[in-house]
Amino acid sequence: MIYHFKEVPIFYEVTGKGPVMVLLHGFLESSTMWKAIAPPLTKHFTVITIDLPGHGKSGVLSETHSMELMAQLLFSMLHHLKIETATLVGHSMGGYVALAFTELYQQHTAGLILLNSTTYKDNDNRKKNRDRALRYIKTQKDSIISMAISNLFTEKSRLQYASEIEQLKLEALSFPLKGITAAIKGMRDRKDRTQVLQNFQKKKWIICGDKDPIVPLEDSTRISEVTHTPIKILRSSHMSWMENTDKIVKILHFNE
Ligand code: MLT
């Protein structure tokens, strides 16, 4: 299905029955990342997957896809679908969007699950890396994408998931350059939302990987402590959805 936000086509799918759960993918991913996780959830939930702007089959909205802008898009789409409240599950950048949504529209978030994501803003080093990527991506799109995706995995998981990684790279290479740079700028400029998670009093979880090279385990455990959010630590890299599919499905049913 296509929803038009500011006249830009946004791809989404709705399946299943029950309370609404929105699955938000991360940077250089698309709704296809949920293809093994979404189907078992549809027995208990109305599952909505979306291609965030500049990713998958969705168009580009702006020079910068701020987390607030993507949250506004999601709110507008849910309103269009006459959905009042939804549990948001966000992988990495999708988690940043879920936090921005919760900050703006708290009463519309029924639950909040951060999957390999963080409430922290970028530190100086990370901001520098984003700026470097922005400088080089115009002339070296393929190698920057390839490196960015490889960096989400540990050395060991890179070998184990070699063909899946190739698939991810192939898909990401088809995303427009403007969409990729808009997301990089949005992530670089995002603010800290630890307080948002702390203030959120409904169902919430942090699901993290013990070897996540992007979101260090120490950050996840610290955020869990200060925000009083239960944590599930999986044996995985940044891509737990690929490495721990069944466990994640179980956790999302809130029965583990
Ligand atoms: C993601 O997986 O969405 C990104 O790696 C997140 C980030 O770079 O901060």
Side-chain angles (χ1 to χ4, degrees):
M1 309 265 276
I2 296 290
Y3 172 63
H4 283 91
F5 181 70
K6 298 183 193 282
E7 291 170 24
V8 172
I10 301 295
F11 176 82
Y12 72 98
E13 282 178 312
V14 184
T15 42
K17 259 200 173 136
V20 178
M21 186 177 273
V22 178
L23 307 179
L24 298 161
H25 64 78
F27 177 55
L28 296 178
E29 297 167 341
S30 76
S31 52
T32 58
M33 70 163 275
W34 303 109
K35 65 177 184 287
I37 290 179
L41 292 172
T42 57
K43 288 183 204 122
H44 299 99
F45 299 100
T46 302
V47 177
I48 300 183
T49 55
I50 175 172
D51 284 349
L52 290 169
H55 289 69
K57 300 191 193 80
S58 292
V60 176
L61 279 173
S62 156
E63 281 290 312
T64 301
H65 288 155
S66 68
M67 302 307 119
E68 293 84 348
L69 178 63
M70 293 196 272
Q72 283 158 13
L73 145 68
L74 178 60
F75 180 73
S76 171
M77 198 184 92
L78 292 176
H79 183 74
H80 164 78
L81 296 172
K82 301 193 173 28
I83 290 166
E84 265 295 307
T85 60
T87 290
L88 307 179
V89 182
H91 179 243
S92 203
M93 183 181 78
Y96 311 157
V97 176
L99 285 164
F101 181 100
T102 303
E103 181 175 46
L104 289 169
Y105 315 108
Q106 214 202 105
Q107 70 277 25
H108 297 279
T109 304
L112 181 55
I113 293 116
L114 299 181
L115 175 60
N116 301 101
S117 193
T118 177
T119 58
Y120 294 161
K121 64 180 184 178
D122 273 3
N123 60 27
D124 288 347
N125 195 38
R126 229 161 144 62
K127 279 187 203 286
K128 270 191 203 135
N129 286 340
R130 306 259 197 223
D131 285 334
R132 194 172 310 128
L134 288 170
R135 263 199 312 279
Y136 292 116
I137 200 162
K138 288 184 196 87
T139 51
Q140 297 173 45
K141 185 181 172 203
D142 290 20
S143 55
I144 300 262
I145 287 179
S146 176
M147 197 172 65
I149 292 180
S150 293
N151 288 345
L152 306 174
F153 293 84
T154 57
E155 226 167 279
K156 195 168 156 223
S157 60
R158 223 171 275 155
L159 292 175
Q160 194 178 344
Y161 294 96
S163 67
E164 287 86 349
I165 293 173
E166 276 321 298
Q167 221 20 67
L168 279 177
K169 288 182 183 174
L170 263 184
E171 191 187 12
L173 282 170
S174 73
F175 301 167
L177 179 63
K178 266 190 99 172
I180 298 173
T181 54
I184 296 176
K185 290 178 198 161
M187 290 192 291
R188 177 197 61 193
D189 300 340
R190 78 186 191 280
K191 62 179 192 176
D192 185 289
R193 290 196 166 88
T194 308
Q195 200 68 48
V196 175
L197 186 60
Q198 188 167 349
N199 293 344
F200 186 71
Q201 301 292 339
K202 295 176 226 169
K203 200 158 276 187
K204 55 184 179 180
W205 283 103
I206 289 173
I207 308 174
C208 66
D210 61 348
K211 294 184 194 65
D212 189 330
I214 306 292
V215 182
L217 179 60
E218 309 82 83
D219 285 6
S220 297
T221 48
R222 181 85 196 114
I223 293 167
S224 156
E225 274 163 31
V226 300
T227 63
H228 309 289
T229 306
I231 187 167
K232 291 279 178 193
I233 304 172
L234 304 175
R235 283 169 176 266
S236 77
S237 67
H238 190 58
M239 305 300 255
S240 354
W241 58 271
M242 194 183 275
E243 298 167 81
N244 280 285
T245 311
D246 295 346
K247 281 205 173 129
I248 289 173
V249 168
K250 255 190 165 175
I251 297 168
L252 293 183
H253 279 105
F254 305 116
N255 63 0
E256 196 185 87

